[in-house]
């Protein structure tokens, strides 16, 4: 290898799923707070939708029931560069009269159904597994953040977290319920990385670290950057997690220049 480019933050070398979610819930809270500051009318709109879902049984086009907790899964998009605007325009057309619009229900089904990428949901926690069972770390971590309660005001969206109920209530994930349960219970995960080998690395590594990243906490990225040999980190808040896609060629070009010693 002549060089390595990391475009979406750095994994923690000894980080567990519990460590990740202890940091990401506050990141999600910050994003949702910023979202409601940009679109203050959506705070009331989201609460109105949630109240409607509590009162009535609302079905998505595939027959799944739309619940408040499934509505909150839409928060996953807030970590992307265009996420605020996408969520705002989705909510803007959500309510027609006293009911939710067919267009809104269709989009919610598509965005939260995991039909095209079920393994993303199945493997989400196990990618952090080392040294012990994950045991549904995201669900357990939420207990430490009462502001994420479903009756809280404002109602907070959730982020890149997977919960047991999702594999019971979402049609595209139900076939994986047994498998994901086994993954959550498995305790004999080996270490993911060899810190000593990475510390001795001599291959130039250029890594983009997005300071406000909702999915990969900057604290974890910076700790890893300090632990890997020949690594240079570019810390920026100009881009969100999808910087390499949203920036055209600017992020990747800078990383290539860094690895080559041109900047």
């Amino acid at each position: 290898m002549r060089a390595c480019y990391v475009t979406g933050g750095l994994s923690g070398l000894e980080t567990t799923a519990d460590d990740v979610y202890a940091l990401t819930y506050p990141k999600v809270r910050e994003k949702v707070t910023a979202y409601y500051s940009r679109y203050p009318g959506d705070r009331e709109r989201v609460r109105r939708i949630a109240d409607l879902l509590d009162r009535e049984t609302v079905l998505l086009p595939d027959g799944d029931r739309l619940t408040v907790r499934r509505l909150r899964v839409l928060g996953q998009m807030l970590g992307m560069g265009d996420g605020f605007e996408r969520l705002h325009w989705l909510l803007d057309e959500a309510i027609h009269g006293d009911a939710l619009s067919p267009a809104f229900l269709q989009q919610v089904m598509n965005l939260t159904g995991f039909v095209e990428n079920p393994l993303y949901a199945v493997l989400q926690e196990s990618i952090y597994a080392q040294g012990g069972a994950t045991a549904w770390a995201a669900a357990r971590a939420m207990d430490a953040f009462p502001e994420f309660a479903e009756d809280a005001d404002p109602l907070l969206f959730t982020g890149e977290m997977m919960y047991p109920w999702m594999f019971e209530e979402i049609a595209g994930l139900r076939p994986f319920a047994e498998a994901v349960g086994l993954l959550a219970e498995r305790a004999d995960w080996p270490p993911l990385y060899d810190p000593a080998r990475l510390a001795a690395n001599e291959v130039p590594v250029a890594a983009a670290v997005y300071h406000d990243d909702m999915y990969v906490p900057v604290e974890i990225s910076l700790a890893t950057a300090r632990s890997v040999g020949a690594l240079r980190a570019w810390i920026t808040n100009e881009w969100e997690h999808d910087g390499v896609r949203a920036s055209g060629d600017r992020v990747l070009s800078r990383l290539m220049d860094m690895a080559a010693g041109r900047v």
Side-chain angles (χ1 to χ4, degrees), residues 41-250:
D42 285 359
R43 173 174 170 168
E44 180 181 351
R45 185 175 290 113
V46 169
R47 175 44 63 193
R48 183 180 172 193
I49 295 171
D51 290 344
L52 187 155
L53 296 177
D54 282 337
R55 291 194 311 269
E56 304 175 15
T57 297
V58 177
L59 299 182
L60 298 170
D62 63 358
D64 282 354
R65 181 176 179 179
L66 177 56
T67 59
V68 174
R69 56 191 181 185
R70 182 155 177 179
L71 175 73
R72 298 207 294 169
V73 174
L74 292 170
Q76 288 193 64
M77 69 177 70
L78 293 178
M80 298 298 182
D82 60 354
F84 281 34
E85 284 64 44
R86 288 175 59 208
L87 181 57
H88 172 65
W89 291 116
L90 174 64
L91 295 171
D92 186 63
E93 62 178 16
I95 302 174
H96 283 184
D98 295 325
L100 299 179
S101 73
F104 174 73
L105 295 176
Q106 180 70 44
Q107 291 186 69
V108 171
M109 181 190 74
N110 294 339
L111 291 167
T112 65
F114 300 96
V115 173
E116 296 180 352
N117 57 345
L119 292 184
Y120 162 73
V122 171
L123 298 175
Q124 177 58 37
E125 286 200 2
S126 62
I127 65 173
Y128 304 115
Q130 53 182 341
T134 58
W136 297 107
R140 290 187 290 102
M142 184 184 278
D143 292 339
F145 300 96
E147 64 269 32
F148 280 90
E150 289 189 11
D151 59 353
D153 187 20
L155 180 65
L156 299 185
F157 292 95
T158 53
E160 195 177 41
M161 294 91 172
M162 302 300 158
Y163 305 99
W165 65 262
M166 299 171 77
F167 296 87
E168 300 170 0
E169 299 180 12
I170 298 177
L173 297 182
R174 287 187 201 118
F176 300 92
E178 182 179 0
V180 77
L182 292 173
L183 288 173
E185 294 171 2
R186 179 179 172 180
D188 61 343
W189 297 98
L192 286 168
Y193 305 101
D194 183 342
R197 182 66 191 89
L198 289 171
N201 172 63
E202 296 180 352
V203 177
V205 181
V209 175
Y210 307 112
H211 186 273
D212 301 324
D213 199 323
M214 192 178 83
Y215 313 114
V216 184
V218 64
E219 299 93 333
I220 292 176
S221 289
L222 294 182
T224 298
R226 292 190 293 267
S227 303
V228 177
L231 185 148
R232 294 182 63 194
W234 171 37
I235 306 164
T236 177
N237 64 358
E238 185 176 0
W239 310 105
E240 294 290 342
H241 187 76
D242 58 344
V244 72
R245 180 184 68 189
S247 69
D249 64 353
R250 282 177 284 179

